[in-house]
């Protein structure tokens, strides 16, 4: 309303109102928001033009101002808690905060410059506000880019990225519940790889939510009973551990599991309801992460 009072309505080149779709990604897109999760968003508008006045600006500038205003309205009391993340837009922080639909198409299309992991992130794209027709159009584009082109998941590129993540995010000699081998990222990437490989044949596996996607993959026979049970148990265990670590430390970034035998580990175990035998937490963590690694290698190579 504030922008409209100064610049009027954002219009397309033909004079019609320019629609906007606000799409969630990541945990928000997958309906998996946890304690202190980032709010991952992408703002996509239909096309170029100019505003209706009184002061006339380009439609792209109008939506850029809108996104900047939105980001500035959320003020977290502490770094790493409830942060708006727009980095999954084309070209990341080097790109516009508001994305024109044509730019989205050119960037994420199979022949576009997007990295494989950026297209993979679109599996969790979900329109949550704005124009419904534009949101559905974006979803159809996503399905074309990920499922309808007949390409398979690039396991080698994913393995290389996971190695970079471990080097940058994991302290040597420690276990990070998100980024270490067998951590929650390995569960998510495995499920997403199977979605990309089988989403063309089975539309029902195209879920933004990891648990729903896992169950759908099991229902069509991609995941065996044992693999589904072990992956599902590991995913729930690791997500609960991550939420608990964030509650204890008050920061979404520090997900290193404390050393076994330390007071901090005992405190973590009690928060996870391991009241009597604290060593059971360590053995359960080892079992879940080993299961994730074994299934990952067996199914992806």
């Amino acid at each position: 309303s504030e922008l409209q009072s100064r610049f009027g309505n954002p219009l397309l080149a033909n004079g019609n109102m320019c629609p906007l779709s606000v799409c969630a990604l990541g945990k928000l897109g997958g309906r998996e928001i946890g304690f202190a999760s980032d709010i991952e968003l992408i703002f996509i508008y239909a096309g170029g033009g100019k505003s209706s006045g009184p002061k006339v600006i380009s439609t792209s500038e109008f939506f850029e101002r809108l996104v900047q205003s939105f980001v500035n309205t959320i003020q977290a009391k502490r770094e790493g808690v409830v942060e708006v993340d727009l980095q999954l837009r084309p070209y990341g922080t080097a790109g516009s905060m508001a994305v024109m639909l044509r730019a989205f198409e050119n960037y994420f299309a199979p022949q576009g410059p997007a990295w494989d992991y950026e297209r993979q992130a679109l599996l969790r794209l979900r329109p949550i506000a704005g124009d419904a027709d534009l949101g559905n159009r974006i979803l159809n584009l996503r399905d074309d880019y990920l499922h309808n082109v007949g390409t398979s998941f690039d396991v080698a590129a994913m393995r290389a990225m996971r190695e970079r993540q471990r080097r940058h995010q994991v302290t040597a000699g420690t276990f990070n519940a998100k980024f270490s081998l067998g951590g929650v990222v390995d569960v998510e990437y495995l499920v997403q790889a199977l979605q990309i490989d089988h989403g063309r044949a089975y539309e029902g596996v195209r879920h933004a939510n990891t648990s729903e996607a896992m169950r759908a993959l099991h229902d069509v026979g991609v995941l065996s009973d044992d693999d589904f049970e072990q992956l599902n148990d590991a995913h729930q265990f690791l997500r609960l551990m991550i939420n608990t670590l964030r509650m204890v430390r008050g920061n979404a970034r520090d997900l290193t599991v404390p050393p076994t035998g330390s007071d901090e580990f005992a405190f973590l175990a009690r928060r996870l309801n391991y009241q009597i035998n604290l060593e059971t937490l360590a053995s359960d963590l080892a079992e879940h992460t080993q299961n994730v690694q074994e299934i990952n290698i067996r199914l992806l190579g």
Side-chain angles (χ1 to χ4, degrees):
S1 299
E2 180 183 346
L3 288 171
Q4 286 174 322
S5 68
R6 297 168 59 194
F7 306 112
N9 292 320
L11 305 177
L12 295 167
N14 62 10
N16 293 333
M17 186 79 167
C18 180
L20 170 75
S21 178
V22 184
C23 298
L25 295 156
K27 293 293 189 293
L28 178 58
R31 292 186 175 92
E32 298 175 28
I33 282 290
F35 188 82
S37 291
D38 286 346
I39 310 299
E40 296 179 79
L41 299 169
I42 181 170
F43 293 73
I44 305 172
Y45 61 98
K50 60 184 180 181
S51 68
S52 60
K55 182 178 180 180
V56 177
I57 60 175
S58 68
T59 297
S60 60
E61 183 180 351
F62 182 97
F63 285 119
E64 194 77 5
R65 288 172 179 254
L66 175 65
V67 178
Q68 184 64 62
S69 176
F70 169 79
V71 172
N72 290 338
T73 63
I74 297 181
Q75 297 181 356
K77 292 185 177 180
R78 188 177 301 181
E79 181 183 0
V81 178
V82 197
E83 292 186 356
V84 176
D85 184 350
L86 305 176
Q87 294 190 61
L88 290 175
R89 66 190 189 270
Y91 301 104
T93 55
S96 300
M97 298 180 76
V99 180
M100 191 182 299
L101 181 61
R102 184 174 67 247
F104 178 90
E105 294 175 300
N106 292 339
Y107 188 78
F108 287 108
Q111 68 276 13
W115 293 94
D116 289 331
Y117 76 88
E118 293 178 298
R119 291 192 188 88
Q120 179 182 334
L122 295 181
L123 284 165
R124 289 183 162 186
L125 185 144
R126 179 171 64 92
I128 59 172
D131 186 83
D133 289 338
L134 178 58
N136 287 330
R137 185 176 175 186
I138 294 166
L139 284 176
N140 289 333
L141 287 171
R142 186 275 311 275
D143 286 347
D144 285 341
Y145 301 157
L146 289 175
H147 303 298
N148 298 334
V149 294
T151 56
S152 59
F153 183 79
D154 190 337
V155 177
M158 182 270 284
R159 296 277 190 241
M161 183 177 67
R162 286 291 290 119
E163 181 59 31
R164 290 194 297 271
Q165 288 175 337
R166 288 194 293 273
R167 284 202 306 267
H168 292 119
Q169 302 290 345
V170 181
T171 302
T174 67
F175 181 84
N176 185 295
K178 183 175 182 179
F179 292 110
S180 287
L181 280 172
V184 76
V185 170
D186 277 341
V187 179
E188 294 170 348
Y189 283 10
L190 170 59
V191 173
Q192 290 165 12
L194 297 175
Q195 286 180 279
I196 291 174
D197 281 344
H198 299 279
R200 186 178 186 183
Y202 305 108
E203 290 189 20
V205 307
R206 303 177 187 181
H207 286 285
N209 179 274
T210 302
S211 295
E212 292 177 359
M214 216 183 296
R215 184 170 297 279
L217 289 163
H218 169 256
D219 290 343
V220 299
V222 173
L223 286 175
S224 68
D225 292 345
D226 288 344
D227 287 350
F228 168 71
E229 182 177 354
Q230 291 178 7
L231 280 177
N232 190 55
D233 288 348
H235 184 243
Q236 293 184 35
F237 174 88
L238 291 165
R239 290 281 293 144
L240 180 59
M241 175 169 280
I242 286 172
N243 280 330
T244 304
L245 285 168
R246 287 172 170 170
M247 291 177 193
V248 169
R249 292 173 176 155
N251 190 294
R253 304 286 180 257
D254 186 3
L255 298 177
T256 300
V257 177
T260 304
S262 67
D263 290 342
E264 190 180 5
F265 185 85
F267 184 61
L268 174 66
R270 288 194 294 272
R271 290 296 296 264
L272 288 168
N273 289 323
Y274 286 79
Q275 301 289 354
I276 301 175
N277 189 356
L278 302 184
E279 290 77 14
T280 305
L281 174 59
S283 63
D284 284 355
L285 176 61
E287 180 182 357
H288 286 306
T289 55
Q290 287 168 8
N291 287 340
V292 170
Q293 292 178 67
E294 187 276 325
I295 296 170
N296 196 302
I297 293 173
R298 176 160 46 80
L299 296 186
L300 297 184

